[in-house]
Amino acid sequence: MLVPGVEFPHFCVQCEDYPCVEACPIEALSIDSKTGAVLVHKEKCTGCGQCVEACPGRVPHIHPKENFILICDLCDGDPQCVKVCQEGGWNVLKIVPRKNYAYKLYSRTPEEITRDLAVKLYGEMGKKFL
Amino acid sequence: MIFGYAGKFLEVDLSTEKIKEIKVRDNVLKEYVGGRGLATKILWDRLGSKWETVDPLGPENITLFLTGPLTGFFPGGRICVSGKSPQSNGVVGSTVAGEFGIELKCAGYDGIIVTGEAEKPVFLFIKDSDVEIRDATHAWGKDAKQTVTLLTRECRELLKKRFPRYGEWREPSILHIGPAGENKVRTAVVTAKWTHAAGYGGYGAVMGSKRLKAIAVKGTGPLPEVADMEKIKQLIQKVCEDVYENELWRRWGTGSAGYEVGAKTSSEPVRNWQEEWHDEKSYGVDKFENRVWVKPYWGDFGCPTTCLKIAMVKTGKFKGAITDNPDYELQAYLGTNLGIFAPEENVFLASLIDDLGLCGIQTGNVLGFAAELFQRGILTKGDLDDLEPEWGNAEAFAALARKIALREGVGNLLAEGTYRAALKIREMKDVDVLQYAVQSKGIGLGAHGIRSGKDYPINISYACSVQGGDHTSIACLPLNDFRSELVMTFNDSAVYCYFNIFGIPRKLKFEFYKTVTGLELTQKEWCNTKALRILQLQRAMLILGGPDLKWNPRVHDDNPPRFYEPLPSGPYKGKTVYKPRFGKDKKRYYEAVGWDENGIPESEILKKLGLKDVDAALEKLR
């Protein structure tokens, strides 16, 4: 939360060209053949952070205690975040079939999202809060 | 009488102010269905014998506003505007979304036929069977938003006075033209509401030449009877369910294509088609969604797709500009084609174009053409009234668009559309500027390039189409391909929104037709006889031409020269249309639709389709 009141979820958007997988120097990342999500090989990963740099939205983050990267694996096709959102009745998150869209447009850094959202919420004033 | 039709048409002669109701024979309706099909038939019957001499902007031209049998039943109502096109001198069936078609049917008419020319500005007000020609001098010269406000207010007062006990009326549906149409700009549109436009064909100029500012219609009756009421309810439900599945249109409309068609398929016009690839993330749909869309789901009456989004610029220089979407075509032609990659500037230009009553595609095309001539030094600052339309300079383009709409200075030249302007500039400057004009038969191409081969049109799509550069009606092989204009003609003839057929089975629309009208129709029958007949009529009228321009199929059935240049950038760099291959495909297409090697419909097929008079008229071209 960079601006008061402007909160948002910050998720992996499942880019169609996998910049994180391409950036990995030791092939610790692979693509799930079923869901198309990125899988992390925990033992191989050295926590170098190259995938974080490569991600257009700076989504992956390093495990707070151990030395490996955390990337959304879509919970093996049954995302738990969607489940709780639906159970709670918010219905903000839902499962959509993968299609040939430019998903990577939605991969954005928290700063970018904050800026847009603040302007959307507060209009021209929003820029002052940044 | 066939089910699904109201059964009568309204004919208005503006010269003599005579209004009458006419009927069209059942077998004509059966063969030509309505909308675009019926328009070609009516135009051929009335003007066919003197087609070459009819000036599209003269009093002898006819403007048609036609519904079809499925209007009001199939989700997504439209109205088809037609006549002799001032752009191509042929017939274009231009459809526009909105409630107009439904209101008209409820008022008891299947269509309006407007002939003649009024002495002073008028508008038509239709309340069921009360039809009157009213003075519109006060609305003349007003932009779209002012016109709609003025006329809605006037109609409301009229209705209140006549029906004091009715209560508050829902606003009548209005089709109108802006300043561009009044000044007979060839790229002018007929607008519904603020922003929906029947663009291709330039029928705004035809309405302007008749001094018909607007048509307002209010119908209180029911829709015509259908053959099977129970089944139609089920079918509507089925179409809606299928459409709801289509997340792409519902969430983004065609707005996502502004980035994707450029970045992924390399077929978006960039700087007057000099390139077809861009990777500008600033033009992604998320930027539109977050920064300018204030109402993400919005649709006209009965539409499940809701591909419209209301966009408003909230901050910055262009604050307050409001329009719909902009959809992909406008994102491309008033954005990337002019070197603009910022959503705010795009919304500003789209809003201005709507207000002036200009066509976003055609005007974007001619603006891009002028900007390229400026870039190459062919048109100088002096020629352009001290404007400098450099790529990306939204304000200069806006000023140029205003000049076009009012036909001031250089605007008078550009108001003739890309092809005619190119001919004039060629004469003026003695440079072959036609190589920079990206158009087909006088109609600027839709924003789907063919060079990368990854988008839906194919190499002959625009060259052989009977509606020129129209991207919603493209020539395609085989003839029953889902993209082919023979198949697509059904949407424009039965008159419903073609965005509601994505993702629904192809048989369903014919089943729908059968349920409404009670007449059997299969896709095979449609493509082989009825659509083919409409196509031959349109083709005949296109090549017969008009007084100012005639098309020679041997020369003009060709892609614009730009499409033979290799793509200069992007993943498909170097790809282009291979000319010998194009020649071969064109020949195959000619054979398939029954045209001889010169592109003229053959006697044999015309006789088979029962178009003997067309055959006789074409004899002199053979």
Side-chain angles (χ1 to χ4, degrees):
Chain A
M1 206 199 317
L2 301 167
V3 170
V6 180
E7 287 179 77
F8 52 87
H10 185 224
F11 286 145
C12 169
V13 302
Q14 313 289 332
C15 295
E16 63 279 15
D17 55 353
Y18 300 101
C20 49
V21 178
E22 267 168 38
C24 186
I26 46 166
E27 295 181 4
L29 302 180
S30 59
I31 300 164
D32 190 340
S33 56
K34 195 177 91 190
T35 60
V38 177
L39 301 178
V40 182
H41 199 285
K42 235 198 292 191
E43 279 76 42
K44 272 194 194 168
C45 182
T46 57
C48 65
Q50 297 234 22
C51 48
V52 185
E53 305 265 299
C55 178
R58 208 154 31 77
V59 179
H61 50 279
I62 292 171
H63 193 278
K65 282 186 187 152
E66 291 167 56
N67 199 26
F68 65 89
I69 200 80
L70 292 164
I71 297 179
C72 173
D73 62 354
L74 289 177
C75 303
D76 202 19
D78 182 25
Q80 297 302 303
C81 53
V82 178
K83 221 175 193 173
V84 291
C85 188
Q86 300 278 342
E87 274 168 13
W90 303 107
N91 299 328
V92 174
L93 306 179
K94 59 179 173 182
I95 297 172
V96 289
R98 186 182 282 270
K99 284 192 184 140
N100 187 22
Y101 302 151
Y103 293 109
K104 69 174 169 191
L105 282 177
Y106 284 86
S107 185
R108 300 188 300 160
T109 58
E111 289 84 358
E112 262 181 87
I113 303 179
T114 307
R115 197 170 55 234
D116 281 359
L117 211 53
V119 172
K120 204 171 179 178
L121 281 175
Y122 301 119
E124 276 168 345
M125 295 240 299
K127 281 184 185 157
K128 287 185 198 157
F129 297 122
L130 300 170
Chain B
M1 202 188 108
I2 310 172
F3 289 111
Y5 292 93
K8 53 184 197 264
F9 289 76
L10 189 68
E11 181 167 345
V12 181
D13 187 343
L14 292 176
S15 303
T16 55
E17 304 217 334
K18 269 196 189 126
I19 298 164
K20 60 179 177 192
E21 285 174 4
I22 59 162
K23 283 197 159 59
V24 173
R25 275 177 291 130
D26 276 2
N27 58 347
V28 172
L29 292 179
K30 224 177 191 170
E31 293 304 326
Y32 294 92
V33 181
R36 175 173 160 188
L38 191 61
T40 52
K41 172 70 177 162
I42 293 176
L43 285 165
W44 178 256
D45 282 353
R46 295 184 176 220
L47 303 175
S49 54
K50 50 174 181 180
W51 188 260
E52 292 116 303
T53 56
V54 174
D55 179 9
L57 299 178
E60 66 272 37
N61 195 5
I62 302 172
T63 327
L64 300 162
F65 305 88
L66 301 176
T67 65
L70 299 197
T71 312
F73 299 110
F74 201 95
R78 283 201 168 215
I79 177 92
C80 176
V81 185
S82 196
K84 183 167 181 175
S85 163
Q87 286 167 6
S88 73
N89 280 331
V91 179
V92 178
S94 205
T95 61
V96 51
E99 289 90 25
F100 190 91
I102 304 172
E103 291 268 15
L104 192 62
K105 268 188 146 175
C106 289
Y109 299 107
D110 280 321
I112 309 171
I113 301 165
V114 182
T115 59
E117 186 182 282
E119 261 171 40
K120 55 178 179 21
V122 293
F123 83 97
L124 274 183
F125 179 50
I126 302 167
K127 158 75 180 56
D128 296 329
S129 54
D130 299 339
V131 183
E132 50 183 318
I133 300 172
R134 296 184 66 87
D135 179 41
T137 322
H138 58 294
W140 201 250
K142 298 278 194 293
D143 70 19
K145 284 163 194 153
Q146 290 167 334
T147 310
V148 173
T149 316
L150 264 174
L151 296 185
T152 310
R153 209 170 277 162
E154 189 176 332
C155 295
R156 178 174 172 269
E157 272 161 28
L158 279 172
L159 289 169
K160 285 216 119 173
K161 210 187 278 171
R162 281 187 216 161
F163 304 91
R165 295 168 68 189
Y166 184 89
E168 199 57 58
W169 288 82
R170 192 192 188 281
E171 69 192 50
S173 198
I174 298 176
L175 280 187
H176 60 94
I177 55 169
E182 293 164 9
N183 294 320
K184 302 182 201 172
V185 175
R186 283 184 202 262
T187 57
V189 293
V190 179
T191 317
K193 300 192 176 170
W194 278 6
T195 55
H196 306 331
Y200 284 117
Y203 293 114
V206 180
M207 267 176 88
S209 75
K210 297 189 177 311
R211 296 193 187 82
L212 178 61
K213 175 72 182 174
I215 302 180
V217 56
K218 183 80 229 164
T220 52
L223 281 170
E225 265 184 60
V226 295
D228 189 343
M229 194 62 192
E230 279 312 305
K231 191 159 179 218
I232 210 82
K233 283 182 190 163
Q234 287 168 18
L235 285 176
I236 291 173
Q237 191 61 34
K238 179 152 176 35
V239 172
C240 287
E241 272 166 19
D242 285 354
V243 166
Y244 289 140
E245 299 269 303
N246 201 343
E247 183 69 20
L248 173 70
W249 297 137
R250 275 183 62 76
R251 178 159 181 198
W252 294 318
T254 54
S256 61
Y259 170 76
E260 294 199 355
V261 173
K264 282 192 166 174
T265 58
S266 269
S267 55
E268 185 166 8
V270 179
R271 298 179 192 91
N272 197 32
W273 296 88
Q274 294 185 68
E275 290 169 76
E276 292 189 22
W277 172 80
H278 74 83
D279 193 18
E280 302 282 347
K281 294 221 172 65
S282 66
Y283 216 51
V285 65
D286 59 311
K287 309 293 186 299
F288 280 91
E289 204 172 12
N290 277 318
R291 298 213 313 244
V292 293
W293 288 355
V294 290
K295 178 121 180 64
Y297 294 100
W298 185 52
D300 286 333
F301 177 79
C303 180
T305 302
T306 60
C307 67
L308 285 174
K309 283 90 191 54
I310 300 183
M312 197 180 103
V313 183
K314 284 177 271 186
T315 58
K317 205 160 39 167
F318 304 119
K319 191 175 167 182
I322 182 165
T323 185
D324 61 353
N325 247 4
D327 69 327
Y328 166 64
E329 292 294 322
L330 262 61
Q331 278 185 2
Y333 260 120
L334 299 175
T336 59
N337 193 45
L338 308 178
I340 291 166
F341 294 99
E344 280 82 3
E345 292 178 1
N346 180 236
V347 171
F348 162 67
L349 274 181
S351 158
L352 179 78
I353 292 283
D354 288 336
D355 268 357
L356 296 172
L358 284 166
C359 172
I361 300 175
Q362 306 297 318
T363 312
N365 193 300
V366 77
L367 289 177
F369 173 66
E372 183 170 357
L373 296 188
F374 181 71
Q375 171 202 326
R376 292 180 190 275
I378 298 167
L379 284 183
T380 56
K381 204 175 155 185
D383 295 322
L384 292 163
D385 302 350
D386 286 339
L387 290 173
E388 292 180 72
E390 279 154 352
W391 299 119
N393 186 350
E395 276 166 339
F397 286 118
L400 212 48
R402 278 196 200 95
K403 276 184 186 295
I404 291 176
L406 301 174
R407 275 190 181 264
E408 283 172 3
V410 68
N412 196 20
L413 175 71
L414 298 177
E416 292 293 307
T418 313
Y419 185 70
R420 286 172 175 83
L423 289 182
K424 281 192 181 162
I425 294 170
R426 185 171 69 175
E427 229 164 75
M428 214 163 74
K429 298 278 172 187
D430 208 20
V431 186
D432 183 23
V433 293
L434 271 177
Q435 55 180 315
Y436 310 123
V438 186
Q439 54 78 37
S440 174
K441 310 272 183 346
I443 298 180
L445 297 194
H448 292 272
I450 56 178
R451 279 187 278 181
S452 72
K454 292 288 158 195
D455 212 332
Y456 72 90
I458 62 168
N459 54 3
I460 55 162
S461 283
Y462 298 118
C464 297
S465 166
V466 289
Q467 303 208 31
D470 188 342
H471 70 284
T472 60
S473 171
I474 59 166
C476 200
L477 278 168
L479 289 182
N480 60 0
D481 192 279
F482 71 99
R483 300 165 289 181
S484 158
E485 59 184 341
L486 282 171
V487 179
M488 284 300 182
T489 314
F490 186 76
N491 310 333
D492 297 347
S493 296
V495 194
Y496 55 87
C497 186
Y498 118 105
F499 276 85
N500 284 341
I501 59 159
F502 291 93
I504 69 165
R506 287 166 82 182
K507 267 194 299 194
L508 198 97
K509 54 185 185 184
F510 293 105
E511 204 180 330
F512 218 108
Y513 176 78
K514 191 194 155 194
T515 319
V516 171
T517 59
L519 302 170
E520 280 293 342
L521 185 64
T522 59
Q523 168 142 328
K524 204 171 156 204
E525 189 195 348
W526 173 254
C527 283
N528 290 349
T529 56
K530 296 184 178 176
L532 198 57
R533 191 179 293 127
I534 296 167
L535 191 82
Q536 307 292 11
L537 263 177
Q538 275 192 293
R539 176 73 176 180
M541 287 190 261
L542 183 69
I543 55 180
L544 281 171
D548 63 334
L549 277 180
K550 280 192 179 33
W551 308 110
N552 180 354
R554 264 164 293 182
V555 184
H556 295 113
D557 269 11
D558 201 356
N559 285 311
R562 175 126 290 159
F563 281 1
Y564 296 113
E565 294 168 17
L567 284 176
S569 56
Y572 300 100
K573 188 175 169 180
K575 279 197 94 174
T576 185
V577 178
Y578 183 51
K579 213 160 189 172
R581 174 79 200 274
F582 166 76
K584 255 186 215 164
D585 284 348
K586 190 167 87 168
K587 223 173 139 198
R588 272 174 57 214
Y589 185 76
Y590 278 6
E591 273 167 24
V593 290
W595 299 345
D596 64 15
E597 68 273 18
N598 294 332
I600 298 163
E602 281 172 1
S603 312
E604 204 181 309
I605 190 140
L606 291 178
K607 279 181 188 146
K608 209 173 100 191
L609 293 168
L611 300 169
K612 275 193 192 124
D613 46 342
V614 180
D615 185 36
L618 288 177
E619 202 49 57
K620 53 183 172 275
L621 295 178
R622 293 202 178 101

